[in-house]
Protein backbone atom coordinates (compact mmCIF):
# COMPACT_ATOMS: atom_id res chain seq x y z
CA UNK A 1 0.00 0.00 0.00
CA UNK A 2 1.32 3.42 -0.96
CA UNK A 3 0.78 5.32 2.25
CA UNK A 4 4.03 7.12 3.13
CA UNK A 5 3.19 10.30 1.22
CA UNK A 6 -0.37 10.47 2.45
CA UNK A 7 -1.88 13.14 4.65
CA UNK A 8 -1.82 12.50 8.40
CA UNK A 9 -5.12 12.81 10.25
CA UNK A 10 -5.43 15.17 13.19
CA UNK A 11 -8.08 12.93 14.73
CA UNK A 12 -5.77 10.36 16.35
CA UNK A 13 -5.56 10.12 20.14
CA UNK A 14 -2.40 8.22 21.00
CA UNK A 15 -2.78 6.61 24.42
CA UNK A 16 -0.32 3.79 23.78
CA UNK A 17 1.69 2.86 26.82
CA UNK A 18 -0.71 4.59 29.16
CA UNK A 19 -1.93 2.39 31.99
CA UNK A 20 -5.67 2.41 32.55
CA UNK A 21 -6.86 1.21 35.96
CA UNK A 22 -10.40 0.07 36.40
CA UNK A 23 -12.10 0.76 39.72
CA UNK A 24 -15.25 -0.74 41.31
CA UNK A 25 -16.05 -3.22 38.57
CA UNK A 26 -18.44 -6.01 39.44
CA UNK A 27 -19.82 -9.04 37.63
CA UNK A 28 -18.19 -11.50 35.28
CA UNK A 29 -18.20 -9.51 32.06
CA UNK A 30 -14.44 -9.85 31.64
CA UNK A 31 -14.86 -13.57 31.14
CA UNK A 32 -17.68 -13.03 28.68
CA UNK A 33 -15.58 -10.60 26.65
CA UNK A 34 -12.66 -12.99 26.47
CA UNK A 35 -14.89 -15.78 25.20
CA UNK A 36 -16.57 -13.60 22.60
CA UNK A 37 -13.35 -12.12 21.32
CA UNK A 38 -11.84 -15.52 20.94
CA UNK A 39 -14.35 -15.86 18.13
CA UNK A 40 -14.99 -12.40 16.78
CA UNK A 41 -13.41 -9.23 15.45
CA UNK A 42 -14.94 -5.80 16.02
CA UNK A 43 -17.37 -6.68 18.76
CA UNK A 44 -20.37 -4.41 19.17
CA UNK A 45 -19.43 -2.48 22.31
CA UNK A 46 -23.04 -1.47 22.92
CA UNK A 47 -23.90 -5.10 23.51
CA UNK A 48 -20.89 -5.82 25.72
CA UNK A 49 -19.22 -2.81 27.23
CA UNK A 50 -22.37 -1.02 28.31
CA UNK A 51 -23.14 -3.92 30.60
CA UNK A 52 -20.41 -2.64 32.96
CA UNK A 53 -21.69 -1.19 36.26
CA UNK A 54 -22.20 2.55 36.33
CA UNK A 55 -19.88 2.80 39.35
CA UNK A 56 -16.79 1.89 37.33
CA UNK A 57 -14.12 4.44 36.54
CA UNK A 58 -10.68 4.45 35.01
CA UNK A 59 -7.50 6.38 35.44
CA UNK A 60 -4.58 6.58 33.05
CA UNK A 61 -0.93 7.16 33.80
CA UNK A 62 1.83 8.61 31.67
CA UNK A 63 2.87 6.69 28.57
CA UNK A 64 6.22 4.95 28.08
CA UNK A 65 8.65 5.76 25.24
CA UNK A 66 7.82 4.09 21.93
CA UNK A 67 10.09 2.28 19.49
CA UNK A 68 10.63 3.50 15.91
CA UNK A 69 8.50 0.58 14.70
CA UNK A 70 5.63 1.65 16.96
CA UNK A 71 5.93 5.23 15.75
CA UNK A 72 5.81 4.11 12.12
CA UNK A 73 2.71 2.02 12.75
CA UNK A 74 1.08 5.01 14.39
CA UNK A 75 1.87 7.11 11.32
CA UNK A 76 0.40 4.41 9.08
CA UNK A 77 -2.85 4.37 11.03
CA UNK A 78 -3.03 8.16 10.87
CA UNK A 79 -2.70 8.10 7.07
CA UNK A 80 -5.36 5.41 6.67
CA UNK A 81 -7.73 7.39 8.89
CA UNK A 82 -7.07 10.51 6.81
CA UNK A 83 -7.91 8.57 3.65
CA UNK A 84 -11.22 7.48 5.17
CA UNK A 85 -11.95 11.10 6.09
CA UNK A 86 -11.33 12.29 2.54
CA UNK A 87 -13.41 9.53 0.97
CA UNK A 88 -16.41 9.73 3.27
CA UNK A 89 -16.46 13.51 3.32
CA UNK A 90 -16.79 13.46 -0.47
CA UNK A 91 -19.37 10.69 -0.42
CA UNK A 92 -21.55 12.48 2.11
CA UNK A 93 -21.23 15.81 0.29
CA UNK A 94 -22.34 14.19 -2.96
CA UNK A 95 -25.54 13.23 -1.15
CA UNK A 96 -26.09 16.63 0.43
CA UNK A 97 -24.94 15.54 3.88
CA UNK A 98 -22.10 16.53 6.17
CA UNK A 99 -19.57 13.95 7.33
CA UNK A 100 -18.54 14.18 10.96
CA UNK A 101 -15.06 12.76 11.34
CA UNK A 102 -14.53 10.12 14.04
CA UNK A 103 -11.58 10.04 16.40
CA UNK A 104 -9.26 7.04 16.46
CA UNK A 105 -7.80 6.04 19.82
CA UNK A 106 -4.60 4.00 19.97
CA UNK A 107 -4.25 2.21 23.30
CA UNK A 108 -2.30 -0.54 25.01
CA UNK A 109 -3.95 -3.44 26.82
CA UNK A 110 -7.03 -1.61 28.16
CA UNK A 111 -8.96 1.58 27.63
CA UNK A 112 -11.92 3.59 28.88
CA UNK A 113 -14.50 4.66 26.30
CA UNK A 114 -17.99 6.11 26.41
CA UNK A 115 -19.19 2.53 25.92
CA UNK A 116 -17.37 1.30 29.01
CA UNK A 117 -14.06 -0.15 30.07
CA UNK A 118 -12.47 -2.50 27.54
CA UNK A 119 -9.56 -4.90 27.44
CA UNK A 120 -7.53 -5.22 24.26
CA UNK A 121 -9.02 -8.72 24.11
CA UNK A 122 -12.19 -7.26 22.59
CA UNK A 123 -10.26 -6.39 19.46
CA UNK A 124 -10.76 -3.17 17.50
CA UNK A 125 -14.16 -1.59 18.10
CA UNK A 126 -16.23 1.48 17.38
CA UNK A 127 -18.10 3.25 20.17
CA UNK A 128 -21.09 5.29 18.95
CA UNK A 129 -21.32 7.00 22.32
CA UNK A 130 -18.20 9.07 21.68
CA UNK A 131 -17.86 8.40 17.92
CA UNK A 132 -14.39 6.93 18.34
CA UNK A 133 -12.62 3.89 16.92
CA UNK A 134 -10.44 2.06 19.44
CA UNK A 135 -7.54 -0.24 18.58
CA UNK A 136 -4.57 -1.79 20.33
CA UNK A 137 -2.07 -2.12 17.51
CA UNK A 138 -0.86 -5.43 18.92
CA UNK A 139 -3.96 -6.76 17.22
CA UNK A 140 -2.10 -6.47 13.93
CA UNK A 141 0.44 -8.99 15.17
CA UNK A 142 -2.41 -11.31 16.04
CA UNK A 143 -3.99 -10.70 12.64
CA UNK A 144 -0.78 -11.88 11.01
CA UNK A 145 0.34 -14.65 13.36
CA UNK A 146 -2.94 -16.12 14.58
CA UNK A 147 -5.29 -15.41 11.71
CA UNK A 148 -2.74 -15.71 8.91
CA UNK A 149 -3.66 -12.36 7.35
CA UNK A 150 -0.46 -10.27 6.97
CA UNK A 151 0.08 -7.07 5.02
CA UNK A 152 -0.47 -3.35 5.46
CA UNK A 153 -3.68 -3.32 3.45
CA UNK A 154 -5.12 -6.03 5.67
CA UNK A 155 -4.39 -3.65 8.53
CA UNK A 156 -6.03 -0.78 6.66
CA UNK A 157 -9.11 -2.93 6.09
CA UNK A 158 -9.55 -3.33 9.86
CA UNK A 159 -9.66 0.45 10.32
CA UNK A 160 -11.92 0.94 7.30
CA UNK A 161 -14.36 -1.65 8.69
CA UNK A 162 -14.63 0.16 12.03
CA UNK A 163 -15.05 3.51 10.26
CA UNK A 164 -17.80 1.77 8.31
CA UNK A 165 -19.62 1.40 11.62
CA UNK A 166 -19.22 5.15 12.11
CA UNK A 167 -20.81 5.73 8.72
CA UNK A 168 -23.71 3.51 9.79
CA UNK A 169 -24.03 5.52 12.99
CA UNK A 170 -24.16 8.84 11.12
CA UNK A 171 -26.77 7.49 8.72
CA UNK A 172 -28.95 6.27 11.59
CA UNK A 173 -28.65 2.64 10.52
CA UNK A 174 -27.05 1.38 13.73
CA UNK A 175 -29.72 2.93 15.94
CA UNK A 176 -32.53 1.37 13.92
CA UNK A 177 -30.89 -2.05 13.96
CA UNK A 178 -30.24 -1.98 17.70
CA UNK A 179 -33.85 -0.97 18.32
CA UNK A 180 -35.08 -3.86 16.17
CA UNK A 181 -32.83 -6.29 18.01
CA UNK A 182 -34.65 -5.52 21.25
CA UNK A 183 -37.95 -6.73 19.76
CA UNK A 184 -36.95 -10.01 18.14
CA UNK A 185 -35.60 -13.42 19.11
CA UNK A 186 -31.93 -14.05 19.77
CA UNK A 187 -31.55 -15.81 16.43
CA UNK A 188 -33.14 -12.89 14.58
CA UNK A 189 -31.01 -10.41 16.54
CA UNK A 190 -27.89 -12.31 15.52
CA UNK A 191 -28.99 -12.17 11.89
CA UNK A 192 -29.37 -8.39 12.14
CA UNK A 193 -25.90 -8.18 13.67
CA UNK A 194 -24.49 -10.16 10.75
CA UNK A 195 -26.12 -7.80 8.27
CA UNK A 196 -24.75 -4.78 10.14
CA UNK A 197 -21.22 -6.21 10.09
CA UNK A 198 -21.39 -7.19 6.44
CA UNK A 199 -22.49 -3.68 5.53
CA UNK A 200 -19.44 -2.34 7.40
CA UNK A 201 -17.33 -4.70 5.27
CA UNK A 202 -19.08 -3.31 2.20
CA UNK A 203 -18.31 0.25 3.28
CA UNK A 204 -14.67 -0.74 3.76
CA UNK A 205 -14.70 -1.85 0.13
CA UNK A 206 -16.32 1.43 -0.95
CA UNK A 207 -13.52 3.27 0.85
CA UNK A 208 -10.86 1.22 -0.96
CA UNK A 209 -12.50 1.94 -4.34
CA UNK A 210 -12.54 5.71 -3.86
CA UNK A 211 -9.17 5.92 -2.08
CA UNK A 212 -7.63 4.23 -5.10
CA UNK A 213 -9.30 6.68 -7.47
CA UNK A 214 -8.31 9.69 -5.36
CA UNK A 215 -4.75 8.79 -4.45
CA UNK A 216 -3.72 5.58 -6.24
CA UNK A 217 -2.93 3.83 -2.95
CA UNK A 218 -3.03 0.22 -4.12
CA UNK A 219 -0.09 -1.97 -4.96
CA UNK A 220 -0.25 -5.48 -6.44
CA UNK A 221 -1.64 -7.90 -3.88
CA UNK A 222 -3.28 -5.28 -1.65
CA UNK A 223 -6.88 -6.29 -2.35
CA UNK A 224 -5.90 -9.91 -1.82
CA UNK A 225 -4.57 -8.90 1.60
CA UNK A 226 -7.88 -7.30 2.54
CA UNK A 227 -9.83 -10.28 1.24
CA UNK A 228 -7.51 -12.56 3.22
CA UNK A 229 -8.28 -10.63 6.39
CA UNK A 230 -12.04 -10.72 5.71
CA UNK A 231 -11.81 -14.45 5.06
CA UNK A 232 -9.75 -15.09 8.21
CA UNK A 233 -12.27 -13.54 10.59
CA UNK A 234 -15.51 -15.11 9.42
CA UNK A 235 -17.68 -16.60 12.16
CA UNK A 236 -17.54 -20.06 10.63
CA UNK A 237 -13.76 -20.16 10.46
CA UNK A 238 -13.25 -18.73 13.94
CA UNK A 239 -15.79 -21.05 15.53
CA UNK A 240 -14.25 -24.02 13.76
CA UNK A 241 -10.84 -23.08 15.15
CA UNK A 242 -12.13 -22.46 18.67
CA UNK A 243 -14.74 -25.22 19.03
CA UNK A 244 -14.08 -27.68 16.25
CA UNK A 245 -17.60 -27.10 14.91
CA UNK A 246 -19.84 -24.19 13.88
CA UNK A 247 -23.23 -22.97 15.12
CA UNK A 248 -24.71 -20.84 12.31
CA UNK A 249 -27.56 -19.46 14.45
CA UNK A 250 -24.94 -17.88 16.74
CA UNK A 251 -23.14 -16.04 13.94
CA UNK A 252 -22.94 -12.29 14.55
CA UNK A 253 -20.42 -11.16 11.91
CA UNK A 254 -21.00 -13.41 8.91
CA UNK A 255 -19.14 -16.27 7.32
CA UNK A 256 -15.76 -15.87 5.67
CA UNK A 257 -17.37 -16.11 2.23
CA UNK A 258 -19.97 -13.47 3.10
CA UNK A 259 -17.40 -11.03 4.45
CA UNK A 260 -15.25 -11.45 1.35
CA UNK A 261 -18.28 -11.09 -0.93
CA UNK A 262 -19.50 -7.83 0.59
CA UNK A 263 -16.06 -6.23 0.77
CA UNK A 264 -15.50 -7.17 -2.87
CA UNK A 265 -18.90 -5.77 -3.83
CA UNK A 266 -18.05 -2.44 -2.22
CA UNK A 267 -14.67 -2.33 -3.92
CA UNK A 268 -16.05 -3.24 -7.33
CA UNK A 269 -18.99 -0.81 -7.30
CA UNK A 270 -17.85 2.07 -5.09
CA UNK A 271 -21.55 2.82 -4.73
CA UNK A 272 -22.98 3.24 -1.22
CA UNK A 273 -26.48 2.43 -2.47
CA UNK A 274 -25.38 -1.09 -3.43
CA UNK A 275 -24.75 -2.08 0.19
CA UNK A 276 -28.24 -2.67 1.57
CA UNK A 277 -27.47 -5.93 3.35
CA UNK A 278 -30.78 -5.72 5.23
CA UNK A 279 -32.87 -6.18 2.08
CA UNK A 280 -30.58 -8.76 0.53
CA UNK A 281 -32.15 -12.21 0.52
CA UNK A 282 -28.91 -14.05 -0.14
CA UNK A 283 -26.03 -12.68 1.89
Amino acid sequence: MRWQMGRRSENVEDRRGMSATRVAVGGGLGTVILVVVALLLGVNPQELLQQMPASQSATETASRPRSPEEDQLGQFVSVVLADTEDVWRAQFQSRGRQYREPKLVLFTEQVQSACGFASAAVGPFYCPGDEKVYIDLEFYRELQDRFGAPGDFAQAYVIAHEVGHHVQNLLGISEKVHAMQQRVSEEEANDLSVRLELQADFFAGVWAYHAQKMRNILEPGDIEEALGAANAIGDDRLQKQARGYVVPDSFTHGTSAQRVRWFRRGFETGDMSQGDTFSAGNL
Side-chain angles (χ1 to χ4, degrees):
M1 177 181 175
R2 303 182 185 93
W3 67 271
Q4 288 83 354
M5 300 301 294
R7 176 179 71 84
R8 271 62 171 170
S9 173
E10 298 180 354
N11 290 313
V12 175
E13 296 181 17
D14 197 339
R15 305 184 197 172
R16 287 177 294 173
M18 299 178 70
S19 177
T21 303
R22 182 174 54 183
V23 180
V25 175
L29 185 62
T31 301
V32 175
I33 289 177
L34 290 177
V35 171
V36 172
V37 171
L39 304 177
L40 305 176
L41 164 69
V43 245
N44 177 3
Q46 285 192 315
E47 297 176 5
L48 295 176
L49 304 180
Q50 287 182 346
Q51 297 179 41
M52 285 292 189
S55 60
Q56 73 170 20
S57 62
T59 59
E60 292 178 333
T61 59
S63 61
R64 58 166 175 78
R66 289 187 293 273
S67 69
E69 292 77 12
E70 289 174 316
D71 282 336
Q72 183 179 44
L73 193 52
Q75 290 295 316
F76 167 78
V77 168
S78 178
V79 170
V80 173
L81 183 63
D83 274 340
T84 67
E85 292 166 353
D86 294 341
V87 166
W88 289 115
R89 186 185 308 112
Q91 290 301 299
F92 272 57
Q93 286 178 349
S94 69
R95 289 161 175 78
R97 303 177 65 108
Q98 183 176 1
Y99 180 67
R100 191 165 59 246
E101 298 172 354
K103 299 284 187 179
L104 188 148
V105 179
L106 304 177
F107 70 96
T108 304
E109 297 182 354
Q110 51 195 10
V111 72
Q112 178 75 18
S113 77
C115 293
F117 185 89
S119 160
V122 303
F125 67 91
Y126 170 72
C127 176
D130 53 21
E131 297 188 355
K132 294 181 180 181
V133 172
Y134 292 82
I135 181 171
D136 182 336
L137 295 181
E138 279 297 305
F139 175 79
Y140 285 154
R141 189 187 307 276
E142 186 175 12
L143 187 66
Q144 173 179 307
D145 297 342
R146 177 184 172 189
F147 298 119
D152 53 8
F153 203 72
Q155 297 170 350
Y157 154 78
V158 171
I159 297 171
H161 172 91
E162 298 305 333
V163 172
H165 285 308
H166 178 63
V167 172
Q168 292 171 320
N169 185 36
L170 295 183
L171 295 177
I173 297 171
S174 302
E175 184 177 5
K176 291 179 181 178
V177 170
H178 294 149
M180 291 173 60
Q181 288 176 314
Q182 303 302 313
R183 303 192 298 268
V184 299
S185 68
E186 181 179 357
E187 181 179 345
E188 292 171 315
N190 286 344
D191 179 70
L192 288 169
S193 178
V194 167
R195 293 174 185 273
L196 195 67
E197 294 296 331
L198 293 180
Q199 188 179 62
D201 284 329
F202 171 82
F203 285 151
V206 170
W207 160 75
Y209 171 91
H210 289 285
Q212 172 65 3
K213 288 187 64 176
M214 294 169 66
R215 207 169 63 78
N216 191 30
I217 65 170
L218 297 179
E219 296 178 311
D222 278 348
I223 292 301
E224 288 72 18
E225 290 178 3
L227 294 175
N231 180 69
I233 55 179
D235 283 330
D236 53 342
R237 180 169 176 177
L238 294 179
Q239 287 191 1
K240 183 70 174 180
Q241 290 175 347
R243 305 175 178 179
Y245 61 93
V246 299
V247 183
D249 287 348
S250 70
F251 289 173
T252 58
H253 284 62
T255 67
S256 294
Q258 288 170 336
R259 301 197 73 164
V260 167
R261 184 181 307 125
W262 282 97
F263 175 86
R264 189 189 296 276
R265 182 171 183 175
F267 178 70
E268 290 177 349
T269 67
D271 183 357
M272 289 177 63
S273 66
Q274 298 298 313
D276 184 2
T277 55
F278 300 95
S279 299
N282 181 15
L283 291 175

